[in-house]
Amino acid sequence: MKKVLKAGLVAGGVMAILAGCSSDKGDSGTAGSSGDSGTIDMWVFGTTGYEKLAEAYMEENPDVDINIQTTEMGDHHNNLFTALSAGQGAPDIAMIEVGEIERYRDAQDRFVNLYDLGAGDVQDNYLDWVWNVGGNAEGDFQFGLPTDIGPTAMYYRTDVVGEAGYPTDPAELAAEVDTWDKYATFAKDIAEATGKPVVDNAELIFNAKRDQASEHYFNRDNELIVEENAEIREAYDYTVELIQADAVGNMPLWTPEWGQGMAEGSYATLLGPAWMQGVVKGNAPDSEEWMITTMPEGAGNWGGSYLTISEESEQQEEAYAFIEWLVSPENQLESFKDMGLFPSTPAVYEEEEFTSYTDEYFGDINTAAVFAEAAEQVNDVYKGRNYLLVQGEIMMALDNVLSSGGDPDQEWEDAMERIKQRLERE
């Protein structure tokens, strides 16, 4: 939670810096070279496998030289902030994580509008909601082309679920727990039969409900709507209900206790994205109890990125040609097979290598099909650059209810007041 709050504070400060910087463009219309002449510089984070695909592209296009620099996610975005703030030193291509892209809304002039380079011709390759997140609120400026995504589903422990008398088969459990009302009953049954919580922490159950709302914290005019948004208040109250039923664990994300709970089966379900498969396997390598099925009433998204082109770039058309190729349906399938990156291009979901995919760790089920179904259920929701600020305050309220027994209504009111006070200082 502290990390979320810190991120929200940093976001506001960075945007003020970016908005206050002017682009010093020369006669060429660019802000200077982003690298050696003839070389396309690309900054990415994490493990993407894009180096392998870049080699294949350069073999097909011997006049193109692509230099990929990989950095840890936090450093990557900080370095990009610094370069954009200085008006020089940004790469031709920069990868931006979906949760970070909101911070760049006020720095639109630092990026190339990919519609000007032909992005409209490939728009239909991608899920609508994914594409829209990578654009501005008006829909006439596209910051980046989508890479992978993180549709969410319900990971569950067959031993814990079975002990409570529920079916352990994915399809049967999904049918048994297909609404949030039934999930609440399921949670109470789990607690009564096993003494264990249904979910690891308050954050993931709140996020699961939040992500199925039609609007979140801001509307597309960037006006704060969270206080009057009945869907968000319902997500908060639902989480409180489970907390008060002793059905929510107190194992914050990424803590040793959270990982240990995964290995030991300390909770029944984990409501997480496609990439969480690797986290589960890493924390519980010897487990034979984890399985995956759909969440009640839909899905959300957690994760994914966009490939943007800096306005500084002197090779904008060449850079665009490469990223259009890199995140095409054909190469998203390759990224899925090689690195497990979940495709944002639904055409891949019909490919034989996708439809026949199975995962031995998760009981030999086709986990790809589960997440494909989830991906097509995600709502198209505008977030706004202060999204993390609001999220952090709501998480503080829920943490106070969970850890300190705070009054839920008072905690909500206090959170709303803190949000308004902080936004006034932005």
Side-chain angles (χ1 to χ4, degrees):
M1 183 182 68
K2 290 179 181 178
K3 291 181 179 178
V4 171
L5 289 172
K6 184 178 180 182
L9 290 168
V10 171
V14 168
M15 289 314 305
I17 293 171
L18 291 177
C21 295
S22 62
S23 296
D24 183 16
K25 296 182 180 180
D27 294 339
S28 65
T30 62
S33 174
S34 61
D36 295 334
S37 178
T39 298
I40 296 174
D41 288 323
M42 179 178 182
W43 291 2
V44 304
F45 59 88
T47 306
T48 63
Y50 287 161
E51 293 83 357
K52 179 180 176 182
L53 287 170
E55 288 291 339
Y57 186 82
M58 287 187 286
E59 287 182 12
E60 295 177 11
N61 301 273
D63 57 330
V64 176
D65 183 25
I66 300 165
N67 175 41
I68 298 180
Q69 175 181 314
T70 302
T71 313
E72 184 273 330
M73 179 176 164
D75 291 340
H76 165 86
H77 288 98
N78 288 338
N79 293 341
L80 183 60
F81 286 148
T82 300
L84 291 172
S85 300
Q88 60 181 1
D92 298 283
I93 301 167
M95 187 178 185
I96 299 180
E97 200 267 341
V98 62
E100 301 277 345
I101 200 167
E102 300 299 334
R103 305 182 187 186
Y104 295 88
R105 300 297 184 191
D106 291 345
Q108 182 174 300
D109 64 333
R110 305 305 175 84
F111 299 92
V112 175
N113 183 356
L114 298 190
Y115 282 128
D116 293 341
L117 296 175
D121 295 337
V122 298
Q123 179 174 349
D124 289 344
N125 287 346
Y126 303 92
L127 292 160
D128 288 344
W129 65 265
V130 182
W131 184 267
N132 292 340
V133 171
N136 64 356
E138 295 74 24
D140 57 8
F141 188 100
Q142 191 66 20
F143 285 88
L145 296 185
T147 63
D148 61 310
I149 54 176
T152 54
M154 186 169 76
Y155 296 72
Y156 66 96
R157 291 278 304 204
T158 56
D159 51 347
V160 180
V161 167
E163 187 178 347
Y166 281 82
T168 59
D169 174 79
E172 292 178 8
L173 183 62
E176 188 83 7
V177 189
D178 60 351
T179 69
W180 287 112
D181 285 344
K182 290 180 181 178
Y183 185 89
T185 301
F186 171 65
K188 294 167 185 175
D189 290 342
I190 291 287
E192 182 176 339
T194 70
K196 297 178 179 179
V198 72
V199 70
D200 44 354
N201 54 66
E203 183 172 359
L204 292 192
I205 187 65
F206 172 80
N207 289 355
K209 285 279 288 176
R210 175 205 66 194
D211 287 346
Q212 293 176 9
S214 58
E215 289 185 297
H216 290 186
Y217 308 147
F218 299 90
N219 62 23
R220 292 189 182 274
D221 293 325
N222 213 40
E223 297 168 329
L224 183 69
I225 60 170
V226 61
E227 191 167 14
E228 61 266 26
N229 188 341
E231 291 177 290
I232 296 302
R233 182 59 198 260
E234 181 188 356
Y236 176 87
D237 289 341
Y238 183 87
T239 306
V240 166
E241 177 189 344
L242 293 188
I243 290 172
Q244 294 178 334
D246 293 326
V248 176
N250 194 4
M251 291 165 267
L253 291 169
W254 319 121
T255 61
E257 295 78 15
W258 181 68
Q260 185 177 353
M262 229 177 262
E264 296 177 352
S266 300
Y267 44 89
T269 71
L270 187 159
L271 306 174
W275 52 261
M276 193 67 79
Q277 294 172 84
V279 178
V280 173
K281 292 175 183 179
N283 281 299
D286 301 321
S287 174
E288 297 180 355
E289 290 79 24
W290 279 105
M291 194 72 76
I292 303 175
T293 192
T294 53
M295 281 202 303
E297 300 186 30
N301 181 73
W302 177 8
S305 300
Y306 294 82
L307 297 180
T308 66
I309 297 176
S310 167
E311 182 63 27
E312 294 178 33
S313 174
E314 295 183 343
Q315 302 172 100
Q316 295 175 8
E317 292 185 1
E318 294 83 356
Y320 177 77
F322 173 59
I323 64 172
E324 181 185 300
W325 177 90
L326 184 64
V327 294
S328 65
E330 295 78 12
N331 284 318
Q332 288 212 19
L333 177 60
E334 291 303 312
S335 293
F336 172 75
K337 292 190 296 183
D338 291 347
M339 305 302 299
L341 303 183
F342 200 84
S344 56
T345 50
V348 175
Y349 306 161
E350 306 300 323
E351 295 288 338
E352 192 277 334
E353 291 158 300
F354 201 86
T355 58
S356 64
Y357 178 84
T358 59
D359 191 318
E360 182 180 2
Y361 181 90
F362 293 104
D364 282 321
I365 64 170
N366 186 342
T367 56
V370 175
F371 289 107
E373 179 181 347
E376 296 184 298
Q377 295 179 315
V378 177
N379 287 332
D380 178 10
V381 175
Y382 177 76
K383 291 189 174 181
R385 68 181 181 90
N386 288 303
Y387 190 87
L388 290 178
L389 182 155
V390 179
Q391 174 74 6
E393 294 295 350
I394 294 175
M395 286 303 100
M396 179 180 290
L398 286 171
D399 185 63
N400 289 341
V401 175
L402 175 64
S403 302
S404 309
D407 175 75
D409 290 334
Q410 188 62 54
E411 292 294 343
W412 172 266
E413 292 175 11
D414 290 348
M416 295 302 106
E417 186 60 31
R418 290 194 302 269
I419 289 166
K420 285 181 275 191
Q421 290 176 355
R422 291 182 62 189
L423 289 176
E424 287 176 359
R425 298 195 296 267
E426 286 293 312

